[in-house]
Amino acid sequence: MTTPSEPGHGRLDPSLSAIMSERRQLINLAYRLLGSLADAEDVVQETYTRWYAMSREQQDAIESPGGWLTTVASRVCLDLLGSARARRERYVGEWIPEPLPDRTEWISVRPGGTAVDPAERVTLDESINMAFLVVLESMTPAERVAFILHDVFCHSFAEVAEIVGRTPAACRQLASSARRRIRTSQAPATPAARQAGIVRDFKQAWQAKDIATLISLLDPDATAIADGGGLVSAVLRPIEGREQIARYAVEIAGRTELMILERTVNGQPGLIAQQDGVTVMVMAFDVAGDLIKHIWAVRNPEKLRPWTVGPQH
């Protein structure tokens, strides 16, 4: 993003570094609210555009610039979430949140040679795993904003109320409702090392086209969802049941020459598939106990920007 200079003075705004230091926090907030890095970047751009549209006097009158930026970004996200349902109805096939790599693997140069600002890298924690983001998708916009602002970013309900346009008591109820959704949807956490072992076993069985082993690694009621966005071929509806998932995985392995690599996806063990060194699919897993309960496979190239060309190991 280009950095505006202070109008009429021919020098950088002395408060610029303080304002720009909020960028990473805003990217983190907007990604959790929207499940899309591309949309999060647009929200942050819009937020800074509104800041610099004000006069210096108006900016100086704002007691907490960081709070102002957070409020504006949250409201822009709230508006976007309100229109997201209609956009999702037009989306071809299933919509999955945009997957993120481990920060050590983030591609530092985009196609076209432009560098990725380190501030655009999202901090990976439990509020970013794919299962969590998928549950967030089931919430109303107000629930999602109240929950993320209060439970993840520690804003008071009075602050949330100002952003959402409801009373603090109503926002408390929204967050409580969101919490219930999270609790009922999430199984007890499987230790990361155990998850990694199960995902590795899945990868090896997949590469070996070993249907029996694949079936043994999947929950009987497992579901697999693919997101091609209408831009690449992908199953348009969820695949349900471990036998169906195992057979489809083997069918894919038999159709295409893919290099399958273990990677961290949204902070958890996952897999990527590369073709000629380019990442063409990112897979996130939800492991409950010793079985895989959900698989999310993102193939939409527009959601794979940070992954496009990765390390070959």
Side-chain angles (χ1 to χ4, degrees):
M1 187 177 91
T2 55
T3 301
S5 56
E6 186 181 344
H9 289 262
R11 61 184 175 82
L12 288 180
D13 180 343
S15 65
L16 183 67
S17 61
I19 292 298
M20 295 310 292
S21 69
E22 298 290 333
R23 182 175 172 79
R24 179 164 195 158
Q25 176 86 343
L26 296 175
I27 284 282
N28 272 276
L29 173 66
Y31 174 76
R32 284 163 174 80
L33 288 176
L34 301 173
S36 163
L37 184 63
D39 287 348
E41 291 168 348
D42 289 345
V43 165
V44 174
Q45 182 77 25
E46 170 65 17
T47 301
Y48 278 109
T49 297
R50 293 187 189 186
W51 172 263
Y52 283 104
M54 294 190 292
S55 67
R56 184 59 188 269
E57 290 72 26
Q58 288 172 314
Q59 292 172 0
D60 287 344
I62 293 170
E63 190 176 328
S64 170
W68 186 93
L69 292 168
T70 295
T71 296
V72 170
S74 299
R75 285 176 177 162
V76 174
C77 287
L78 191 58
D79 289 342
L80 280 176
L81 286 168
S83 62
R85 196 172 301 278
R87 286 186 287 133
R88 303 280 159 77
E89 285 172 1
R90 295 192 298 271
Y91 195 82
V92 178
E94 298 287 327
W95 190 94
I96 298 174
E98 192 173 330
L100 298 180
D102 186 78
R103 48 196 305 192
T104 61
E105 305 234 334
W106 199 290
I107 305 309
S108 58
V109 179
R110 290 190 176 124
T114 57
V116 173
D117 184 341
E120 292 180 15
R121 298 179 186 175
V122 176
T123 305
L124 302 176
D125 60 25
E126 64 279 359
S127 72
I128 217 76
N129 72 58
M130 191 62 76
F132 188 88
L133 290 176
V134 168
V135 179
L136 291 179
E137 285 296 312
S138 71
M139 297 178 185
T140 67
E143 274 180 335
R144 187 167 182 166
V145 172
F147 174 73
I148 292 294
L149 283 171
H150 180 267
D151 285 41
V152 179
F153 287 88
C154 303
H155 288 273
S156 70
F157 283 119
E159 292 170 318
V160 176
E162 187 182 337
I163 291 167
V164 177
R166 304 197 188 189
T167 66
C171 291
R172 188 183 297 276
Q173 285 296 110
L174 288 168
S176 177
S177 169
R179 247 175 260 129
R180 278 195 301 274
R181 288 180 190 251
I182 297 284
R183 275 199 305 270
T184 57
S185 68
Q186 290 191 323
T190 301
R194 183 69 191 126
Q195 286 185 55
I198 292 165
V199 170
R200 183 175 299 119
D201 290 345
F202 183 91
K203 167 186 177 261
Q204 291 169 350
W206 188 16
Q207 289 174 315
K209 304 182 182 65
D210 182 347
I211 286 181
T213 300
L214 286 171
I215 289 172
S216 73
L217 292 166
L218 291 158
D219 185 272
D221 298 320
T223 60
I225 297 175
D227 176 348
L231 301 175
V232 296
S233 63
V235 180
L236 298 181
R237 290 185 178 82
I239 302 172
E240 298 180 350
R242 58 185 173 186
E243 288 86 0
Q244 290 85 343
I245 294 170
R247 292 184 193 287
Y248 185 71
V250 168
E251 185 187 325
I252 291 174
R255 269 203 316 247
T256 325
E257 275 299 314
L258 295 174
M259 180 181 286
I260 311 299
L261 304 168
E262 295 171 46
R263 289 288 183 270
T264 297
V265 180
N266 285 62
Q268 294 196 317
L271 299 174
I272 67 170
Q274 289 190 341
Q275 204 163 18
D276 301 323
V278 176
T279 299
V280 294
M281 180 167 63
V282 173
M283 298 174 70
F285 296 81
D286 182 22
V287 178
D290 287 337
L291 296 174
I292 296 167
K293 199 167 179 60
H294 299 284
I295 301 173
W296 296 280
V298 179
R299 299 203 59 222
N300 182 343
E302 291 182 352
K303 294 185 178 182
L304 299 179
R305 292 176 307 146
W307 302 82
T308 306
V309 182
Q312 298 286 315
H313 61 268

